[in-house]
Amino acid sequence: MTEKENEEAIAELIWTLESSQGEFKLILARCNYLRLRSRLVEQLRKLINIDIQVLHLKKSDKTLYAKIYSEVKGKQPPALMIFYLESVQDLEQMFSASNQVREEFRKQFNFPIVLWVTDKVFQQFVHSASDFESWATTTEFIIPTEDLIKSLQEDTDALFAAALVTDAYCISWKMGYLRRREISTALKDLKQREMELDPFLIASVEFVRGQDAYLQHQIETALEHYQNSLIYWQQIANQSRLNSVNAKSLLRQGVVMFYIGLCYQHQAQKYQTPSLGLLNVAKTYLQDSINIFTDTNRSRLVAKFINPLGIILRYLQAWEELSDLAYYSLTLQQQYGNPIRIAQAHGFLAEVALHQNNWLTAKKNVYRALHHLTKIKSPPLHQRSLYLLLLAQAEIHLAEVNLAQIPQAIKHLQMARDAGIQNHPRQYICILKTLRSLYWQQGEYLEAFRTKIQERSIEQQYGWRAFIGSGKIGPHRYHYSTALTQVADIFQEVSFSETVAPEITESGREKDIENLLERIARPDFKLIVIYGHSGVGKSSLIHAGLIPRVKQKAITVREIIPVVVVSYTDWLGELAKLLESTLKSRGIDIPKLHNSSSSILNILHKCSIFNIQILLIFDELEEFLSIESSLSRRYDFFNFLGECINILSVKVIILMREDYLHHLCEFNSLPSMSIINNNIFSNQVLYQLGNLPPKDAKSLINRLTEYCHFHLESTLIDQLIEDLSKGFEQVRPIELQIVGAQIQTVNITTLNEYQKYGGKEKLIHSYIQEIINDCGDQNKQTAKLVLQLLTDETENNPPKTLAELSQKLTSMLLKLDINQSQLDLVLHIFLESGIVALLPNHYKFYSVFNRKIIGNGNGDL
């Protein structure tokens, strides 16, 4: 196609826009290249008399209709032009949702809409929205071959220049992403036109393709492209006699080597224990990269690329080399004025000092690192967390001579923990382990136990632990681009993702997710009550399944935003805080919410203006019913729920144990419940969650053990399923997780080892013993006696109130000093571990396991 043909296509587009004024018209402008598109849009604006409104889509956008509706805000512009569809993360879902509501486009938008699409986007549109696409007219623009080669050269040079010139390790995500996609498209176009590229351009293209694969977490593919690029650059340097060409190829070799090193570092960190062999390969490439920049007297580049080598040395515990590198880096960073890398160098020195038992030196370097981070407007949180961890480690050792250091260490670890994972799970787990140890030393056993559960949850989410035990299952997290994100200055540019946990997808719960999504999408389902027995997995279904799916998938024309309440001591205040932070994080400016139902309801009413739907989730509602004995305050809570489900832009989900379900009777007749026909127990409201069929449980065990590389003998899995389903023909998820966790702790992988250990009952017994130990040495006897009081030889497990337990314990331990706080601690840990539950009617505690299992077959506690 010539420029003249493109001009004719522009004229056709102008005519279509002008003839479609005042009516909906869908126009597809097909163009694969940003430079050509920019030039075409500029020509269009000069030639047309219509004021065209522009909308730029973001990677996170989910629904096209909602985005347009929000942009035009009820006004009808003469025309709307939409860019960057190619950058949308889930384009298939966006187009599928658009196809479903295509009539709404025609009803609501009385103006032509131009979608600029690449060939790939167009193909997706045809595939996912064929009915909607049939309404469209299409205008195609193609770049001439000469311009295409020139554009390819300019784009690859720009990306290499960015790698060398900018202070970051990667150009901005959006700009780089679109450039890299265009380069891939250009290669296909040139191949179809039977055009050959010269080696210099091939070397550049291979590097760019490597970057594209790396940032999409395709590390093997990235390595292949980077290695190809390196080979070409080395050949060019060997064959060329021009010094300028040699110098250019040498610098590009240094850049490519750096990214090859990052790839090997990423591969080394795929598993919980990093591979020393791969780390050493990464070290070699990073060192060779630094050597090139040193030999060519590019000290600024040395300063830029040296710190990632320090991270490798830290993992290898090469302390002397790390010390030398840190001092050298510090000199360079101070010269070029990068506060983040100065802080990183001080962090290296702090770690070296800790290894050398120089606690004060370590502390001094940590404070210097933290000081330099304060110079950054938005310092990387994972880096600050690391320094707080190092500071706490120094304070723990200094506590040997000054006990006042321990509270400070706990405070700093809590600050590090509260910063979150930041896609650095190993660092986060180290923070939790250290914090748990201090809690234990200080006798804060409940906090130590909760920290242990949190630690195991992180291991489960990243696929390092097959079974979590008694904790809640969380969404699956991908350990994306760890090597790259550890380089602090681009941390915010790398996307992290949460997906539905394999514990959900492989256990047959996927159908429950789909059923709940259907209810959320339908207007006639306003309230959903998910109920089931204790330990059946209600919370896990929501947190590890439904919420990640809602975040990934557009269900209606409105964006659905989940808000989860898990604490009920001040549920209004908690909800106000959650709602305020959630809306503000999406750029929705709202006034500060007061702890009043009226202010919250007012904001919920306004959510429809922002084209969003709030999904209010009240997890473990039995906790509220247990702690709130006042009928009037219960009435206020359920009346608030009734008001919520009468708001168009709100859906409510309640999670509760089956034995608490009857409490809903008290509020079924509220006037606000008329929207559900005052029938809270109808199939339209209730959703039961049961135990797992043996077939699903077996599939789950196979998937989880395979995923975290904890391989179990097939005969062992068969025996486990038989033992777990005995007497019920179903498997309780909590029991599967507890037994599985103990198998992993003891490292049982064969049927013979399992039988020798004592089977399922012995494993549950060892789990109970672990929980008793978690109560602390001074509370072990109290813990054992509580279990004895809650079980008997008949296996009826007689429930007892708190007062009954306290009275019995006092009479049994006349010679010992026992107080109410000890009993409270033990019951809290027992409840949270799942070995004791609470009956709702009279608030009595009962043991989940019988005397035989607790006593390991002999009744002894």
Side-chain angles (χ1 to χ4, degrees):
M1 179 177 277
T2 64
E3 282 297 322
K4 183 178 180 182
E5 289 172 308
N6 276 341
E7 288 172 5
E8 290 173 356
I10 282 285
E12 179 186 337
L13 180 58
I14 290 171
W15 181 87
T16 306
L17 285 168
E18 289 177 339
S19 62
S20 305
Q21 290 299 289
E23 64 181 51
F24 174 72
K25 183 72 174 178
L26 182 62
I27 305 164
L28 303 180
R30 291 180 65 176
C31 178
N32 285 323
Y33 301 99
L34 288 173
R35 282 194 180 89
L36 175 61
R37 187 172 71 187
S38 297
R39 192 165 70 246
L40 293 169
V41 170
E42 187 178 348
Q43 291 175 5
L44 176 66
R45 288 190 178 281
K46 287 179 180 178
L47 296 171
I48 200 167
N49 293 322
I50 298 172
D51 183 19
I52 303 175
Q53 189 169 331
V54 170
L55 171 59
H56 290 168
L57 296 179
K58 298 177 182 176
K59 185 180 180 183
S60 58
D61 286 331
K62 294 182 180 180
T63 58
L64 186 60
Y65 173 84
K67 190 71 177 178
I68 296 173
Y69 188 90
S70 175
E71 180 71 17
V72 300
K73 296 181 175 65
K75 297 178 181 178
Q76 301 288 320
L80 180 68
M81 194 175 290
I82 299 175
F83 297 98
Y84 298 122
L85 270 161
E86 61 271 26
S87 69
V88 172
Q89 187 170 19
D90 194 346
L91 200 56
E92 180 182 2
Q93 179 57 42
M94 174 177 277
F95 285 153
S96 178
S98 299
N99 200 54
Q100 293 174 25
V101 297
R102 58 190 179 278
E103 289 296 339
E104 292 300 315
F105 281 85
R106 185 175 280 167
K107 291 176 184 176
Q108 299 296 330
F109 307 139
N110 300 320
F111 51 86
I113 296 175
V114 179
L115 301 181
W116 284 92
V117 298
T118 62
D119 288 346
K120 189 172 182 180
V121 172
F122 177 75
Q123 290 165 8
Q124 185 67 69
F125 193 32
V126 172
H127 179 265
S128 303
S130 56
D131 295 330
F132 195 30
E133 187 272 333
S134 67
W135 294 3
T137 60
T138 304
T139 304
E140 188 172 3
F141 304 92
I142 298 178
I143 190 169
T145 300
E146 184 179 339
D147 290 348
L148 183 55
I149 293 175
K150 181 181 177 183
S151 176
L152 184 59
Q153 185 69 65
E154 289 175 352
D155 280 342
T156 54
D157 283 347
L159 290 168
F160 251 121
L164 287 166
V165 176
T166 63
D167 197 44
Y169 291 93
C170 178
I171 61 176
S172 68
W173 170 265
K174 184 173 182 179
M175 180 262 197
Y177 172 72
L178 296 179
R179 275 187 188 268
R180 289 188 294 272
R181 293 223 14 195
E182 281 197 11
I183 288 168
S184 296
T185 304
L187 285 174
K188 291 177 183 177
D189 284 352
L190 289 170
K191 187 176 181 179
Q192 289 175 351
R193 301 178 195 186
E194 298 182 348
M195 295 295 298
E196 292 187 7
L197 304 180
D198 65 72
F200 202 95
L201 188 51
I202 293 174
S204 297
V205 166
E206 283 296 297
F207 167 71
V208 173
R209 294 177 74 184
Q211 272 205 321
D212 191 41
Y214 186 84
L215 289 176
Q216 293 184 67
H217 324 298
Q218 300 166 357
I219 306 304
E220 292 289 344
T221 304
L223 257 178
E224 183 181 345
H225 289 303
Y226 284 144
Q227 295 282 14
N228 288 342
S229 179
L230 183 59
I231 290 169
Y232 273 107
W233 289 125
Q234 289 171 339
Q235 289 175 349
I236 290 167
N238 291 334
Q239 295 171 4
S240 177
R241 296 180 181 180
L242 296 174
N243 291 333
S244 59
V245 173
N246 286 335
K248 189 173 185 179
S249 67
L250 197 59
L251 287 178
R252 295 194 175 188
Q253 283 182 55
V255 173
V256 174
M257 285 176 174
F258 173 79
Y259 285 101
I260 291 174
L262 290 188
C263 282
Y264 279 112
Q265 182 185 346
H266 185 285
Q267 287 187 320
Q269 293 178 292
K270 281 167 63 177
Y271 309 117
Q272 193 166 11
T273 303
S275 164
L276 295 181
L278 290 172
L279 284 173
N280 275 302
V281 175
K283 174 188 172 185
T284 299
Y285 276 102
L286 292 180
Q287 185 64 67
D288 288 347
S289 173
I290 297 301
N291 291 343
I292 285 176
F293 299 134
T294 302
D295 293 342
T296 54
N297 297 316
R298 301 297 181 106
S299 57
R300 188 191 63 79
L301 293 178
V302 176
K304 173 183 175 179
F305 289 105
I306 194 171
N307 279 5
L309 178 57
I311 295 171
I312 299 287
L313 295 175
R314 187 180 76 193
Y315 281 121
L316 292 171
Q317 298 185 17
W319 303 117
E320 289 187 15
E321 290 181 74
L322 182 58
S323 178
D324 292 341
L325 178 141
Y327 280 117
Y328 182 39
S329 174
L330 196 56
T331 303
L332 291 169
Q333 309 308 340
Q334 288 170 340
Q335 180 180 351
Y336 292 101
N338 188 307
I340 288 181
R341 292 177 193 152
I342 293 174
Q344 212 166 21
H346 280 296
F348 293 150
L349 291 173
E351 290 191 81
V352 171
L354 282 173
H355 176 73
Q356 296 171 342
N357 300 334
N358 294 329
W359 320 125
L360 288 173
T361 302
K363 197 171 179 180
K364 179 175 67 175
N365 275 292
V366 169
Y367 277 125
R368 286 176 177 171
L370 290 168
H371 168 72
H372 283 284
L373 282 190
T374 61
K375 299 178 181 180
I376 308 298
K377 185 176 180 181
S378 299
L381 292 176
H382 79 277
Q383 204 167 332
R384 185 170 183 271
S385 293
L386 173 62
Y387 303 148
L388 290 169
L389 170 62
L390 299 177
L391 180 58
Q393 289 172 338
E395 289 167 335
I396 290 168
H397 290 288
L398 289 170
E400 295 174 7
V401 292
N402 181 5
L403 291 175
Q405 296 282 332
I406 291 295
Q408 282 295 104
I410 291 175
K411 174 187 172 184
H412 291 137
L413 288 168
Q414 289 170 336
M415 291 167 64
R417 175 200 62 193
D418 294 345
I421 302 170
Q422 304 298 318
N423 201 44
H424 287 71
R426 288 186 189 84
Q427 177 178 303
Y428 195 70
I429 288 170
C430 185
I431 291 167
L432 295 176
K433 283 183 183 293
T434 311
L435 185 57
R436 175 158 65 99
S437 176
L438 287 188
Y439 281 146
W440 181 267
Q441 291 174 26
Q442 298 298 298
E444 297 182 38
Y445 300 116
L446 181 58
E447 289 303 318
F449 175 76
R450 287 171 173 168
T451 305
K452 181 181 82 169
I453 297 300
Q454 187 181 4
E455 181 187 322
R456 290 185 174 182
S457 175
I458 302 302
E459 292 174 347
Q460 170 263 318
Q461 290 177 52
Y462 282 90
W464 294 335
R465 174 176 284 274
F467 305 98
I468 194 173
S470 61
K472 291 178 185 176
I473 294 167
H476 175 61
R477 296 173 184 261
Y478 290 97
H479 198 187
Y480 279 164
S481 301
T482 306
L484 202 54
T485 60
Q486 284 175 328
V487 181
D489 57 356
I490 64 160
F491 175 73
Q492 298 298 336
E493 296 176 4
V494 181
S495 66
F496 311 125
S497 178
E498 291 182 353
T499 59
V500 177
E503 287 87 344
I504 302 299
T505 56
E506 300 298 326
S507 63
R509 300 292 202 210
E510 187 80 15
K511 61 180 179 294
D512 293 304
I513 298 296
E514 294 303 323
N515 290 339
L516 291 171
L517 288 175
E518 182 184 356
R519 290 193 177 202
I520 292 169
R522 287 174 52 175
D524 52 329
F525 286 91
K526 293 296 295 179
L527 174 64
I528 305 169
V529 177
I530 302 173
Y531 71 98
H533 292 298
S534 177
V536 82
K538 299 179 293 295
S539 295
S540 295
L541 178 72
I542 295 299
H543 292 278
L546 183 65
I547 291 177
R549 184 61 58 82
V550 165
K551 288 179 178 179
Q552 290 174 329
K553 182 179 181 180
I555 303 168
T556 66
V557 294
R558 290 191 175 96
E559 180 186 3
I560 297 178
I561 301 177
V563 177
V564 187
V565 177
V566 295
S567 174
Y568 296 96
T569 49
D570 176 22
W571 65 270
L572 264 179
E574 177 78 3
L575 179 55
K577 183 173 66 175
L578 288 169
L579 193 59
E580 189 176 326
S581 63
T582 300
L583 293 177
K584 285 189 175 180
S585 70
R586 282 163 172 76
I588 299 173
D589 191 24
I590 62 170
K592 185 168 181 61
L593 293 174
H594 303 289
N595 295 0
S596 68
S597 58
S598 59
S599 66
I600 294 174
L601 291 169
N602 183 45
I603 289 298
L604 291 175
H605 274 287
K606 290 182 178 178
C607 283
S608 59
I609 300 173
F610 307 119
N611 207 49
I612 60 176
Q613 180 173 308
I614 299 295
L615 183 61
L616 285 181
I617 302 173
F618 294 90
D619 193 6
E620 296 182 343
L621 192 68
E622 62 268 13
E623 181 183 328
F624 170 75
L625 295 169
S626 297
I627 64 176
E628 188 53 79
S629 58
S630 168
L631 190 60
S632 65
R633 285 195 286 270
R634 288 190 186 191
Y635 176 90
D636 290 342
F637 176 84
F638 282 97
N639 191 56
F640 172 80
L641 288 191
E643 294 287 346
C644 287
I645 63 177
N646 279 276
I647 299 173
L648 182 64
S649 55
V650 177
K651 289 278 179 104
V652 175
I653 294 179
I654 292 173
L655 280 69
M656 62 191 307
R657 271 172 36 195
E658 187 168 345
D659 48 351
Y660 279 78
L661 206 56
H662 65 278
H663 283 283
L664 300 180
C665 290
E666 304 169 18
F667 315 101
N668 197 31
S669 59
L670 287 171
S672 56
M673 295 294 177
S674 61
I675 194 171
I676 58 169
N677 299 317
N678 295 101
N679 189 1
I680 206 167
F681 297 109
S682 71
N683 291 332
Q684 192 91 349
V685 174
L686 295 183
Y687 191 91
Q688 185 176 21
L689 202 62
N691 292 317
L692 301 178
K695 184 180 76 170
D696 290 344
K698 182 177 180 178
S699 172
L700 177 61
I701 293 174
N702 278 317
R703 176 67 177 88
L704 295 182
T705 52
E706 176 189 353
Y707 184 72
C708 76
H709 304 280
F710 179 62
H711 301 289
L712 301 183
E713 199 175 67
S714 60
T715 52
L716 169 57
I717 295 175
D718 290 339
Q719 187 63 55
L720 274 173
I721 296 299
E722 183 179 335
D723 291 349
L724 289 167
S725 60
K726 190 176 293 182
F728 299 99
E729 301 306 319
Q730 288 185 322
V731 176
R732 292 182 64 214
I734 182 66
E735 202 166 272
L736 184 152
Q737 288 291 336
I738 286 173
V739 171
Q742 291 307 115
I743 281 178
Q744 194 166 5
T745 299
V746 184
N747 197 30
I748 292 173
T749 59
T750 68
L751 177 59
N752 185 49
E753 290 170 344
Y754 173 74
Q755 291 171 336
K756 279 186 177 180
Y757 190 81
K760 167 193 146 183
E761 291 187 353
K762 179 63 184 295
L763 287 164
I764 293 177
H765 169 75
S766 63
Y767 170 76
I768 292 169
Q769 289 300 317
E770 181 185 317
I771 301 302
I772 290 172
N773 292 336
D774 284 331
C775 294
D777 291 340
Q778 61 268 51
N779 301 310
K780 279 184 183 179
Q781 187 170 7
T782 302
K784 290 178 180 179
L785 290 173
V786 166
L787 287 177
Q788 183 176 314
L789 290 170
L790 293 176
T791 58
D792 62 18
E793 302 299 337
T794 65
E795 300 189 9
N796 288 327
N797 295 354
K800 289 183 172 57
T801 64
L802 181 61
E804 289 171 340
L805 284 173
S806 182
Q807 183 181 7
K808 289 280 187 182
L809 279 174
T810 302
S811 62
M812 294 172 75
L813 297 171
L814 287 174
K815 296 181 180 179
L816 297 176
D817 182 21
I818 181 171
N819 53 49
Q820 188 65 39
S821 63
Q822 281 182 286
L823 178 57
D824 289 343
L825 168 71
V826 168
L827 287 173
H828 265 110
I829 290 178
F830 281 0
L831 285 168
E832 293 185 25
S833 68
I835 65 175
V836 166
L838 192 62
L839 283 172
N841 291 341
H842 305 290
Y843 305 109
K844 290 185 175 183
F845 299 90
Y846 68 96
S847 173
V848 172
F849 301 106
N850 60 47
R851 175 75 63 87
K852 181 182 177 183
I853 292 179
I854 291 174
N856 190 27
N858 56 25
D860 294 334
L861 290 165

